[in-house]
């Protein structure tokens, strides 16, 4: 029988996997809780500002809260104010957001206060962006700065993975989202231990972030759509067509991304670019209605509550308007993420498909459209599948979603991404 060779005399055995992982638990839990609290604080501040900007102020001026006039004025003024803030805050609230992704290297800690302030104003003003990118960037910067002060020998990769997991767990209310997203990154990295060893700390951070957010804010992505209970052979074709349509719409935005960005950069002044961007967003909001404003999470619930309340044409208009708003907001300089607005686009597109062909189950149409648009916008397969599935909270839709993801992935893989290098070229 073969036996392990004894260690050479005079050598000290290295730490076991458990010994390497145990010291990570406490910092992972702390990072997860702190990440959720920062996200919750910015979200609550944005909600209070939104109540003032879209409720108290127009009421005091006797103007309709979501009238075309107020929508245009509010978003234009917000672009001007946010542009001025970005010009004066330390670090200009971070790099050009068109060049950043969901998880990036740490920023300087002095950038964080300005970035969080600008993010709160962006969320409150009706801009079609979510909090995920800037909140993750701010949390990574703070965790890395504090972590290196108290544990100088730790690496940036550790704090980035813990903080990204904690923030993503808080955003989605579950650590599963963080584990799925990070598994795509960690699986490609060389390192000691199995993949689950490398996910151990991030999973602890994601759990802490998710539990903190769940206990304090009770987030929910379930749209309460009719259950998908009776799969049919025809659903296979429907799912593939709808997912491909979502991916095609997303790719249209991706291919337009560098050109729109180049247009705003040609203005050579961030205040002018953001003011013009705000004006264009206001015009789009006036065209698409108030549901096409903001990050879109609350708005998709209103859409899903009455799938028959709008015509197929109205759903199509909302999907196109929201896509254009996301494209402008992400290129003119507003700080924010693209996942939540993309979800709104997918929900509107799926409801449009159901309105055109009522025999297609509404839950299937919505999840497949969200899957397609997210695959094109984020290029994250697990994130796209997970987000689409949690919208209905029904495991019966998962096999169909997996089938629909295959042709949609073939369409988007290898194509440009909705992110730029510093020289303006697109990532692939």
């Amino acid at each position: 029988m073969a036996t392990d060779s004894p260690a050479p005399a005079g050598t000290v055995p290295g730490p076991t996997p458990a010994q390497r992982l145990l010291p990570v638990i406490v910092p992972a839990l702390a990072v997860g809780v702190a990440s959720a609290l920062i996200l919750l604080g910015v979200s609550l501040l944005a909600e209070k500002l939104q109540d003032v900007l879209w409720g108290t102020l127009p009421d005091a001026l006797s103007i309709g809260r979501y009238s075309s006039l107020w929508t245009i004025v509010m978003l234009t003024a917000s672009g001007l104010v946010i542009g001025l803030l970005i010009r004066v805050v330390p670090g200009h609230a971070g790099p050009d957001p068109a060049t950043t992704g969901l998880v990036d290297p740490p920023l300087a800690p002095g950038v964080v206060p300005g970035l969080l302030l600008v993010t709160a104003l962006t969320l409150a003003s009706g801009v079609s962006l979510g909090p995920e990118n800037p909140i993750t960037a701010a949390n990574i910067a703070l965790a890395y700065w504090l972590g290196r002060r108290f544990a100088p020998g730790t690496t940036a990769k550790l704090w980035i993975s813990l903080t990204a997991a904690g923030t993503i767990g808080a955003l989605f209310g579950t650590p599963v989202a963080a584990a799925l997203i990070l598994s795509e990154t960690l699986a490609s990295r060389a390192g000691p231990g199995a993949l689950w060893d490398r996910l151990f700390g991030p999973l602890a951070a994601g759990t802490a972030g998710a539990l903190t957010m769940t206990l304090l804010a009770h987030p929910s992505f379930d749209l309460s759509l009719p259950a998908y209970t009776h799969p049919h052979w025809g659903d296979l074709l429907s799912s593939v067509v709808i997912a491909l349509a979502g991916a095609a719409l997303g790719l249209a935005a991706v291919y337009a991304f560098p050109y729109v960005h180049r247009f705003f950069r040609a203005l050579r002044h961030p205040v002018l670019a953001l003011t013009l961007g705000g004006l264009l967003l206001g015009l789009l909001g006036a065209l698409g209605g108030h549901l096409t404003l903001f990050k879109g999470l609350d708005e998709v619930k209103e859409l899903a509550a009455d799938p028959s309340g709008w015509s197929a044409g109205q759903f199509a208009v909302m999907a196109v308007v929201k896509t254009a708003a996301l494209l402008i907001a992400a290129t003119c300089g507003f700080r924010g993420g693209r996942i939540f607005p993309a979800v709104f686009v997918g929900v509107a597109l799926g409801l449009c498909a159901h309105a055109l062909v009522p025999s297609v189950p509404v839950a299937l149409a919505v999840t497949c459209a969200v899957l397609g648009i997210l695959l094109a916008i984020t290029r994250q397969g697990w994130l796209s599948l997970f987000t689409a599935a949690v919208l209905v909270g029904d495991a019966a839709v998962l096999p169909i979603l997996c089938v629909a993801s295959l042709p949609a992935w073939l369409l988007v893989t290898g194509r440009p991404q909705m992110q730029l290098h510093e020289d303006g070229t697109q990532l692939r």
Side-chain angles (χ1 to χ4, degrees):
M1 180 183 295
T3 58
D4 294 335
S5 300
T11 62
V12 179
T16 66
Q19 290 173 329
R20 290 199 309 268
L21 296 177
L22 282 173
V24 178
I25 293 178
V26 172
L29 296 177
V31 166
V33 172
S35 297
L37 292 176
I38 292 174
L39 170 63
L40 184 60
V42 172
S43 299
L44 291 175
L45 175 59
E47 289 176 8
K48 297 296 184 183
L49 288 172
Q50 181 178 330
D51 290 341
V52 173
L53 296 177
W54 294 92
T56 305
L57 193 53
D59 288 349
L61 297 172
S62 299
I63 301 174
R65 292 188 175 189
Y66 293 105
S67 65
S68 296
L69 174 61
W70 186 249
T71 299
I72 295 170
V73 169
M74 186 71 256
L75 280 159
T76 305
S78 297
L80 174 61
V81 171
I82 291 171
L84 291 171
L85 278 173
I86 290 174
R87 181 177 174 83
V88 301
V89 297
H92 304 295
D96 182 352
T99 66
T100 61
L102 181 59
V103 181
D104 286 322
L107 301 173
V111 176
V112 172
L115 177 59
L116 293 179
L117 175 60
V118 167
T119 300
L121 288 173
T122 299
L123 294 172
S125 62
V127 175
S128 292
L129 291 172
E132 58 274 16
N133 285 26
I135 295 296
T136 304
N139 285 344
I140 287 175
L142 292 174
Y144 177 68
W145 178 63
L146 290 172
R148 292 300 296 270
R149 285 176 66 89
F150 291 103
T154 54
T155 65
K157 289 181 180 178
L158 171 67
W159 300 109
I160 290 173
S161 62
L162 294 182
T163 312
T167 308
I168 295 167
L171 280 163
F172 289 92
T174 170
V176 176
L180 290 174
I181 293 171
L182 289 178
S183 67
E184 295 191 36
T185 302
L186 295 177
S188 62
R189 291 182 185 171
L195 174 61
W196 197 252
D197 286 346
R198 284 175 276 166
L199 282 173
F200 183 85
L203 187 60
T207 301
L211 285 176
T212 301
M213 184 60 70
T214 300
L215 292 172
L216 296 178
H218 313 291
S220 174
F221 284 78
D222 191 349
L223 299 182
S224 300
L225 293 169
Y228 179 67
T229 55
H230 301 290
H232 300 284
W233 287 108
D235 293 344
L236 292 173
L237 177 60
S238 300
S239 65
V240 168
V241 171
I242 294 171
L244 286 173
L249 180 58
L251 282 178
V254 169
Y255 276 105
F257 193 73
Y259 298 101
V260 181
H261 179 265
R262 196 174 305 150
F263 166 77
F264 283 111
R265 293 290 78 79
L267 298 177
R268 299 184 180 277
H269 201 295
V271 177
L272 181 58
L274 281 158
T275 304
L276 178 58
L279 171 60
L280 294 175
L281 291 176
L283 293 171
L284 286 170
L287 173 64
H290 73 279
L291 291 179
T292 60
L293 301 174
F294 304 102
K295 65 182 180 182
L297 186 57
D298 294 331
E299 289 72 22
V300 295
K301 294 179 179 179
E302 188 171 341
L303 279 183
D306 187 16
S308 60
W310 292 268
S311 67
Q314 289 173 314
F315 284 128
V317 168
M318 284 190 277
V320 172
V321 166
K322 191 69 171 182
T323 303
L326 168 59
L327 180 60
I328 290 171
T331 52
C332 72
F334 287 107
R335 272 50 175 171
R338 300 151 202 166
I339 295 173
F340 292 109
V343 169
F344 180 96
V345 174
V347 171
L349 185 63
L351 292 173
C352 173
H354 172 71
L356 287 172
V357 186
S359 61
V360 177
V362 63
L364 181 70
V366 166
T367 53
C368 289
V370 169
L371 171 67
I373 192 79
L374 285 179
L375 284 174
I377 296 294
T378 69
R379 214 55 56 84
Q380 290 268 0
W382 286 124
L383 169 67
S384 304
L385 275 169
F386 172 82
T387 305
V390 298
L391 293 177
V392 295
D394 187 354
V397 79
L398 274 173
I400 301 292
L401 281 178
C402 290
V403 171
S405 70
L406 300 178
W409 183 255
L410 289 176
L411 179 62
V412 304
T413 187
R415 298 186 185 274
Q417 299 185 36
M418 190 176 265
Q419 186 178 342
L420 304 177
H421 295 287
E422 291 186 4
D423 63 1
T425 59
Q426 280 184 289
L427 272 69
R428 286 185 177 269

